[in-house]
Amino acid sequence: MDSAAVRKFFEENDQMAKLLGCEIVDIGEGSASVRMPVRRELLNGVGTLHGGALFSMADYAFAIAVNSHGKVAVALTCSVSFLQPGRLGSVLLADAKTVAVTNRTALIEVRISDEKGQLIGSFQGTAYRSSKDLSEIA
């Protein structure tokens, strides 16, 4: 599946990413970059980016990267490390890259940084890759 078709699929179907204001910046085979502005609605009780919003942004980049291989893939396990607070008004970038891929699994790492290049978070996800082509559900 080419990157334009993967982009179209996720932009049309991922409602959570729309809610968060995520924008796909780039898609390659096994990689993806997603941008998200930190808005007031995404802040936690202490005034920084809610961990769930950061996780969801990274999960979106993870999903695009792992499905860019063309097979329907879903998360088996994911973890995130929160390294710095996301600040109101900043724009975050999640860069996802495939580390390893087999017929049934894939490991994806996502680095989340702010517009100054400061590392905000790190995400790692393992996915199950089905035998079904993504184009079959697109």
Side-chain angles (χ1 to χ4, degrees), residues 22-88:
C22 291
E23 171 193 349
I24 298 171
V25 175
D26 189 42
I27 301 173
E29 186 171 342
S31 66
S33 295
V34 171
R35 180 180 11 240
M36 182 182 76
V38 179
R39 306 182 327 268
R40 183 165 307 284
E41 299 84 6
L42 301 180
L43 300 182
N44 61 23
V46 297
T48 60
L49 180 66
H50 194 288
L54 183 107
F55 184 96
S56 294
M57 175 201 189
D59 183 55
Y60 186 50
F62 160 77
I64 296 165
V66 75
N67 281 283
S68 71
H69 293 286
K71 297 293 182 189
V72 175
V74 295
L76 288 171
T77 184
C78 299
S79 65
V80 66
S81 296
F82 304 105
L83 305 172
Q84 297 288 326
R87 305 283 182 195
L88 180 63

Side-chain angles (χ1 to χ4, degrees), residues 54 79-83 110-112 119-124:
L54 183 107
S79 65
V80 66
S81 296
F82 304 105
L83 305 172
V110 184
R111 294 175 50 91
I112 305 101
L119 190 62
I120 301 297
S122 178
F123 174 104
Q124 185 172 335

Side-chain angles (χ1 to χ4, degrees), residues 62 65 95-99 107-111 122-125:
F62 160 77
D95 284 313
K97 299 205 180 333
T98 300
V99 175
L107 178 65
I108 310 292
E109 291 181 350
V110 184
R111 294 175 50 91
S122 178
F123 174 104
Q124 185 172 335

